[in-house]
């Protein structure tokens, strides 16, 4: 019996998701476009578990795995396309992806599978799977571990490293509100299973090519402050990444430099994407919910870290998001810092 044997759509818990996965002999896994650590870690972690059970698994990353995560087990074995005439997979799983609009653009769609399971720790804004598993967790990797345990898989090092990457990237290396006692207990378990915190930190958060430093200098040079220094904007100059031979993954967390400016409540980074639209990354110090700002433009994420895509120029998109941030700050009643820079200072 293949994975389509259970009628959908419906909500499931981790043991039910494990039962659905156990019935599937061929599985394709994917996550959202522009994959981050939680996306990659959860996909590769689940793939490892399923392969150990004898399933045939394809991890779909059309642009490959970002450099920072290529040390993870299975990262070299991902697929970039699915042939149009290929036999359908028993099951597809979309992880860390609560909206079909953020699936990879090359995702083959229903022709490629007999059933679709969605796994996330965010609210699924547009339901699109046959089964949906949404649980409270610091990261999707934590949910993958619950599924693995329901399948009887021991916590080995490949799974532990994948879950740890999910955990540290979604908690900001244990700085964000998702850093709960439960999250830290999970981290301890992962270290006991063989994870090296330094090796992961260097691979994920350091270990840059020299060109990334040049990119940082160019992007940080665009810093603009608004609303008496409470909103900061960084702009990625068009063509910069291509000129330096860098992928978009090298922009990960650059926006955090803007948030680090004293007095900034909301940091915004804008760049032009391959569709000619503006990709917006948002960060908060914690007093403003940037996921709510992103949701105004069809995006989402976490309270302190979110994103969206705006069909407008860099300047127009930045102005719109700054206006949203200013309104959110005013609604929260936050006063300007005593040493604030002037509005629109550069």
């Amino acid at each position: 019996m293949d994975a389509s044997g259970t009628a959908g759509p419906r909500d499931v818990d981790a043991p039910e998701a494990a039962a659905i996965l156990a019935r599937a002999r061929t599985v394709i896994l994917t996550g959202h476009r522009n994959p981050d650590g939680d996306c990659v870690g959860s996909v590769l972690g689940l793939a490892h578990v399923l392969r150990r059970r004898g399933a045939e698994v394809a991890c779909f990353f059309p642009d490959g795995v970002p450099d920072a995560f290529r040390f993870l087990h299975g990262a070299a074995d991902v697929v970039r396309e699915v042939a149009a005439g290929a036999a359908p997979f028993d099951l597809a799983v979309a992880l860390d992806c609560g909206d079909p609009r953020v699936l990879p653009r090359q995702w083959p769609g229903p022709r490629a599978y007999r059933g679709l399971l969605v796994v996330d720790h965010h609210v699924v804004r547009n339901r699109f799977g046959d089964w949906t598993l949404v649980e409270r967790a610091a990261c999707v990797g934590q949910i993958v571990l619950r599924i693995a345990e329901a399948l009887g898989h021991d916590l080995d090092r490949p799974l532990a490293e994948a879950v740890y990457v999910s955990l540290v990237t979604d908690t900001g290396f244990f700085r964000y509100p998702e850093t709960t006692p439960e999250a830290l207990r999970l981290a301890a378990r992962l270290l006991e299973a063989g994870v090296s915190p330094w090796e992961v930190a260097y691979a994920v958060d350091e270990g840059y090519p020299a060109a990334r430093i040049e990119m940082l200098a160019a992007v940080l040079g665009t810093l603009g402050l608004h609303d008496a220094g409470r909103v900061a904007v960084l702009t990625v100059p068009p063509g910069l990444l291509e000129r330096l031979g860098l992928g978009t993954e090298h922009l990960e967390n650059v926006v955090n430099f803007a948030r680090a400016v004293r007095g900034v409540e909301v940091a915004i980074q804008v760049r032009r994407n391959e569709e000619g639209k503006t990709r917006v990354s948002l960060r908060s110090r914690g007093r403003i919910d940037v996921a709510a700002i992103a949701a105004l433009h069809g995006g989402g994420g976490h309270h302190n870290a979110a994103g969206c895509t705006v069909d407008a120029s860099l300047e127009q998109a930045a102005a719109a998001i700054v206006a949203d941030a200013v309104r959110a700050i005013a609604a929260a009643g936050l006063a300007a810092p005593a040493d604030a820079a002037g509005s629109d200072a550069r």
Side-chain angles (χ1 to χ4, degrees):
M1 179 177 176
D2 62 46
S4 63
T6 302
R10 67 184 181 88
D11 294 328
V12 296
D13 58 17
E16 290 173 312
I20 293 166
L21 287 160
R23 291 194 295 270
R25 304 310 303 161
T26 59
V27 185
I28 183 169
L29 310 178
T30 196
H32 57 77
R33 63 187 67 174
N34 302 314
D36 57 9
D38 192 19
C39 176
V40 174
S42 58
V43 168
L44 295 182
L46 183 57
H48 170 68
V49 172
L50 296 177
R51 286 173 178 145
R52 287 290 298 272
R53 292 181 53 82
E56 179 182 332
V57 182
C59 298
F60 183 75
F61 288 103
D63 297 317
V65 172
D67 286 347
F69 312 121
R70 288 181 186 167
F71 72 97
L72 288 174
H73 183 78
D77 301 322
V78 303
V79 299
R80 294 173 180 259
E81 62 181 356
V82 177
F89 290 86
D90 291 339
L91 182 69
V93 186
L95 297 116
D96 197 29
C97 184
D99 191 319
R101 293 175 296 180
V102 299
L103 284 165
R105 281 173 293 279
Q106 302 89 334
W107 179 241
R111 69 168 175 81
Y113 49 82
R114 299 189 179 96
L116 174 61
L117 169 66
V118 176
V119 181
D120 207 342
H121 65 147
H122 308 109
V123 174
V124 175
R125 297 186 296 277
N126 293 310
R127 296 178 69 91
F128 62 103
D130 299 291
W131 306 275
T132 301
L133 168 58
V134 176
E135 291 189 347
R136 181 178 179 182
C139 59
V140 178
Q142 185 174 9
I143 303 173
V144 166
L145 179 56
R146 294 169 186 168
I147 293 171
E149 291 170 337
L151 288 167
H153 183 94
D154 292 332
L155 180 57
D156 55 12
R157 181 164 180 170
L159 176 59
E161 286 186 333
V163 174
Y164 189 76
V165 166
S166 294
L167 182 63
V168 296
T169 52
D170 255 26
T171 61
F173 281 86
F174 307 111
R175 288 175 290 185
Y176 297 160
E178 292 80 7
T179 307
T180 62
E182 180 185 9
L184 292 174
R185 283 190 288 268
L186 172 60
R189 283 189 61 197
L190 301 175
L191 267 59
E192 290 167 350
V195 171
S196 166
W198 166 241
E199 290 178 5
V200 173
Y202 186 81
V204 172
D205 207 38
E206 297 187 29
Y208 307 139
R212 187 175 190 268
I213 305 304
E214 186 177 347
M215 178 271 290
L216 278 173
V219 174
L220 296 180
T222 70
L223 177 68
L225 297 175
H226 308 264
D227 194 35
R230 289 174 292 196
V231 179
V233 178
L234 292 175
T235 301
V236 181
L240 176 67
L241 296 180
E242 293 81 358
R243 178 173 65 81
L244 295 175
L246 298 175
T248 57
E249 67 267 22
H250 291 288
L251 289 171
E252 187 73 20
N253 293 325
V254 171
V255 66
N256 291 353
F257 286 94
R259 181 180 59 187
V261 175
R262 184 177 299 154
V264 168
E265 296 289 344
V266 176
I268 302 163
Q269 176 183 285
V270 294
R271 68 172 176 86
R272 182 181 298 160
N273 69 10
E274 55 272 25
E275 297 176 316
K277 299 179 182 179
T278 297
R279 179 63 189 171
V280 181
S281 297
L282 293 158
R283 295 294 186 271
S284 167
R285 280 178 54 198
R287 298 196 288 184
I288 300 298
D289 181 2
V290 290
I293 295 174
L296 297 173
H297 301 274
H302 300 276
H303 184 98
N304 282 10
C308 59
T309 300
V310 181
D311 190 4
S313 69
L314 292 175
E315 295 77 10
Q316 292 168 333
I321 302 296
V322 167
D324 294 334
V326 170
R327 283 191 288 269
I329 291 168
L334 302 182
D339 58 348
S343 179
D344 297 321
R346 287 292 301 271

